[in-house]
Amino acid sequence: MASKQFDIKTYAGFKGITLLCLVILYAPLIVVTVYSFNASQSLTNWEGVSLRWYADVFTGPESGKFKTAAKNSFIIAIIAATTATTIATLATTGMVRGGKFRFRTVSFGLISLPLMVPEIVLAVATLIFFNSIGFERGLLTILLAHIAFCIPFAYLPISARMQGIEDSYEQAALDLYATKRQAFTKILLPLMMPGIISGFLLAFIVSLDDFIITNFVKGAGVETLPTAIFGSVKQGIKPNIMAISTMLLSVSIVMVTISYFVSKSDNTK
Amino acid sequence: MAAGAASGGSATTDTYKEARTWLLLPAWVTLAILVLAPVIMMLIYSFLTKEFRGGVIWEFSLAAYDQFFFDRGLFGDDPAKIEWTYITIFWRSIWQAGAATLLSLVIGFPTAYFIATRSENMRPVWVFLITIPYWVNLLIRTVSMKFLLRDQGPLNDFLMNIGLIDSPLHIVNTNFAVQLGLFYSYLPFMVLPIYAAVERYNFALSEAAADLYASKWTTLRRVLLPAVKPGVFAGCILVFVPSMGSFLAPDLLGGAKNFMIGSLIEEQFKGNAGNWPFGAAASMILLTMVLIILMFSTRQQAKADKAGG
């Protein structure tokens, strides 16, 4: 019986396609990582392992540009993710623990709006908006735009988490004469932590990675890592770009992995 | 049940009912000012007069939409003909997004199915493996793809070394490269909803079909596919919509001949064209198309939910 069921579920070739899928997804990333350690000046020839392009990123002719861009990127990502996570945590509490109310669907629509509007359209709209109110473009415009589109990315894991937490814990605290504020900060927030951390990390990555919107709303001469990389790539792919890319993709993969394990951890027991 | 969870929750309580407005206020204000107001302002800008080298003059004009659809000659006084330039660019975007969606479906469906039929503790690991690349910077992924596919790149090197081809394949700067780039950008969006649908599928139905002498492929086509159709449909929408407005894949992998909407819009603001109302109008047309697709798909999903009970 068991073997028959197994047989029904299996289709010849599906495993092969899945493996092909993984190869397509990972091959470009692996190739770039490998070639970032290439000792050769040229992109094509392999001349042995070396860290020269990593050294070039930190001390080479373009290092000043990249350092400033990296600093901008990380400052914006930290502030945008923190702000978006705070806003999203409060909004989740209102949506999931706020009972039924009239503007619930509208609120959910508003929160997911940045995901529905195509990125390039959101970029155009934000640029036009800042222009129309005479807001000079610079780091601040990038930050504000990032806070907005980070909110849904923070909201989704946080709200998934809160829906999984029964309210009996808070009710117990309230029965024991805790105030609502205490029930929130002492009971609900700690239980929510895995979702909040996961949401923060996703918002952080999304902000760190954004190119299109940043490219539109940044002022002249203000660069983040993606816009600096794009400017450099437009003149041809150079080995130092592969070193930077490898570092940036490692950051993303490490953070997503942390987010995955944190969100899986269960602290309600 | 799962649909309810995805759309904001079934397990709601009213512990914080009194504070609700204050809890939601920061999100409302931020998104109203930074997303809703900008989209409205963009709509207004699309009906204004262009200022040369960027910006607008506050004077009502239909010039942007007129330029998009009609050709009135160099001095604007010829009889209006249909202007095909921009319609062609939109059509190419739809076509490319469609091809990328099909490619994602052909590879994504078997992948999703394979993952959904793994043991319960292996499934999250597979899902994780498929989603990791999505979180890597899109720009870096696209550049990596270009590096891999170049005429002198590692892929051609490899194929020539094993003797499969004699001269490099020209992949970069073709339509196919763009489709591959889009596929690479959005594949997890195809796999995840199909995976969710197959995971919920009751395999007893397949068994019943097999007992009635249906072949495996007939079972797949006539029993499984209709049951997981909403997931397939959602996957297609989630790949098609962002593909249509994409900028990086066509810009880096497609070259000048394979211009798509994203590049057309970008050029109005960042490039030499500098026609803001026209860029706003093109964005509005793109946004309208996307909203129509989303509305249509929500209706379909609602219908499917009803049919499924």
Side-chain angles (χ1 to χ4, degrees):
Chain A
M1 188 68 204
S3 73
K4 186 186 165 198
Q5 193 176 11
F6 181 72
D7 188 43
I8 283 174
K9 281 189 175 185
T10 321
Y11 285 90
F14 277 22
K15 186 176 188 178
I17 294 175
T18 307
L19 296 178
L20 174 74
C21 185
L22 286 182
V23 170
I24 299 176
L25 286 176
Y26 285 92
L29 303 180
I30 292 170
V31 164
V32 161
T33 306
V34 169
Y35 273 78
S36 72
F37 293 106
N38 190 355
S40 167
Q41 180 82 42
S42 97
L43 284 175
T44 2
N45 301 325
W46 178 261
E47 286 176 11
V49 177
S50 126
L51 288 174
R52 70 179 281 202
W53 298 114
Y54 287 87
D56 185 84
V57 168
F58 290 105
T59 56
E62 290 185 292
S63 61
K65 186 176 91 179
F66 287 137
K67 269 180 203 157
T68 318
K71 206 177 89 192
N72 288 343
S73 271
F74 279 94
I75 291 175
I76 289 170
I78 289 170
I79 303 178
T82 310
T83 316
T85 309
T86 311
I87 294 174
T89 307
L90 297 176
T92 308
T93 313
M95 292 283 280
V96 181
R97 292 285 198 262
K100 283 196 178 7
F101 59 104
R102 230 184 336 154
F103 298 112
R104 201 151 186 285
T105 317
V106 177
S107 299
F108 187 70
L110 194 59
I111 290 169
S112 41
L113 197 59
L115 296 178
M116 289 192 288
V117 177
E119 214 185 347
I120 188 117
V121 174
L122 193 54
V124 167
T126 314
L127 166 65
I128 284 178
F129 177 69
F130 285 133
N131 177 270
S132 70
I133 59 171
F135 203 118
E136 198 171 331
R137 274 177 274 161
L139 277 179
L140 191 56
T141 47
I142 304 178
L143 178 64
L144 289 171
H146 280 217
I147 290 174
F149 72 71
C150 281
I151 290 177
F153 285 95
Y155 178 85
L156 292 176
I158 298 176
S159 104
R161 176 83 195 174
M162 197 181 287
Q163 280 162 27
I165 300 174
E166 285 175 48
D167 75 328
S168 47
Y169 301 100
E170 296 141 80
Q171 292 306 335
L174 293 173
D175 287 346
L176 296 167
Y177 302 104
T179 61
K180 289 248 160 116
R181 184 181 293 268
Q182 284 171 327
F184 180 74
T185 54
K186 295 249 161 75
I187 309 290
L188 188 56
L189 263 191
L191 287 174
M192 293 284 300
M193 250 331 141
I196 294 175
I197 293 171
S198 170
F200 173 85
L201 291 174
L202 293 189
F204 185 89
I205 300 171
V206 169
S207 163
L208 193 66
D209 286 358
D210 178 73
F211 166 73
I212 294 177
I213 292 175
T214 310
N215 188 37
F216 268 73
V217 301
K218 77 188 180 74
V222 180
E223 302 283 357
T224 63
L225 269 180
T227 64
I229 292 173
F230 184 78
S232 204
V233 165
K234 273 284 164 183
Q235 293 144 22
I237 304 176
K238 280 170 288 177
N240 62 347
I241 289 302
M242 293 203 265
I244 277 203
S245 300
T246 306
M247 289 188 275
L248 208 48
L249 77 87
S250 314
V251 171
S252 299
I253 289 177
V254 167
M255 298 197 94
V256 158
T257 312
I258 296 175
S259 160
Y260 171 77
F261 284 108
V262 168
S263 68
K264 253 181 57 170
S265 73
D266 190 354
N267 61 355
T268 56
K269 283 179 184 136
Chain B
M1 185 197 89
S7 65
S10 39
T12 59
T13 61
D14 55 3
T15 318
Y16 299 103
K17 203 164 107 189
E18 302 82 24
R20 185 173 62 213
T21 309
W22 294 107
L23 289 167
L24 282 162
L25 200 62
W28 283 338
V29 171
T30 315
L31 292 165
I33 294 179
L34 291 170
V35 181
L36 207 54
V39 170
I40 294 167
M41 198 46 93
M42 180 176 75
L43 175 66
I44 297 173
Y45 265 45
S46 72
F47 290 106
L48 295 179
T49 309
K50 77 167 171 183
E51 174 114 74
F52 288 96
R53 290 185 300 164
V56 285
I57 300 165
W58 281 84
E59 219 169 85
F60 178 80
S61 158
L62 284 171
Y65 291 95
D66 190 79
Q67 184 190 345
F68 192 94
F69 292 108
F70 300 109
D71 172 14
R72 297 178 192 276
L74 194 55
F75 303 104
D77 47 9
D78 292 359
K81 285 180 300 192
I82 299 280
E83 166 71 72
W84 288 107
T85 316
Y86 308 116
I87 298 175
T88 309
I89 292 175
F90 263 67
W91 177 241
R92 184 185 300 129
S93 305
I94 293 173
W95 202 88
Q96 290 282 62
T101 307
L102 196 65
L103 190 63
S104 307
L105 181 62
V106 167
I107 296 191
F109 184 86
T111 305
Y113 182 91
F114 179 79
I115 296 175
T117 50
R118 293 307 91 195
S119 74
E120 211 154 307
N121 27 6
M122 278 311 285
R123 281 178 220 160
V125 179
W126 279 98
V127 169
F128 186 53
L129 275 178
I130 294 286
T131 41
I132 284 184
Y134 171 74
W135 295 106
V136 171
N137 195 322
L138 182 58
L139 172 64
I140 290 178
R141 275 187 290 156
T142 313
V143 171
S144 308
M145 198 65 156
K146 183 172 184 171
F147 178 77
L148 180 69
L149 299 176
R150 279 175 319 141
D151 286 3
Q152 293 89 32
L155 179 69
N156 274 314
D157 266 5
F158 175 73
L159 291 177
M160 274 155 76
N161 270 333
I162 62 169
L164 214 60
I165 51 172
D166 296 325
S167 55
L169 299 168
H170 301 292
I171 306 176
V172 172
N173 291 347
T174 63
N175 279 331
F176 180 64
V178 179
Q179 291 156 17
L180 213 54
L182 292 175
F183 160 80
Y184 190 32
S185 309
Y186 305 117
L187 180 74
F189 293 159
M190 179 65 83
V191 174
L192 294 178
I194 299 180
Y195 161 76
V198 176
E199 204 190 21
R200 280 201 304 272
Y201 172 71
N202 182 359
F203 274 95
L205 292 173
S206 290
E207 250 176 86
D211 288 344
L212 297 168
Y213 302 106
S215 78
K216 264 166 81 171
W217 290 101
T218 311
T219 311
L220 177 76
R221 223 179 55 238
R222 304 279 292 273
V223 183
L224 175 76
L225 263 186
V228 300
K229 207 171 75 185
V232 173
F233 191 74
C236 290
I237 298 282
L238 287 174
V239 173
F240 185 81
V241 166
S243 292
M244 210 166 55
S246 67
F247 168 72
L248 284 172
D251 192 71
L252 291 171
L253 292 165
K257 268 191 308 183
N258 301 295
F259 223 59
M260 282 171 57
I261 311 174
S263 314
L264 175 70
I265 294 174
E266 202 250 9
E267 200 179 48
Q268 309 307 321
F269 296 93
K270 306 293 291 183
N272 300 320
N275 186 341
W276 283 33
F278 183 71
S283 304
M284 276 315 300
I285 295 169
L286 173 62
L287 181 60
T288 310
M289 281 164 59
V290 167
L291 290 182
I292 290 173
I293 294 173
L294 289 179
M295 261 160 59
F296 173 74
S297 72
T298 325
R299 280 247 304 270
Q300 287 290 319
Q301 290 288 16
K303 237 193 263 172
D305 282 352
K306 231 186 207 166

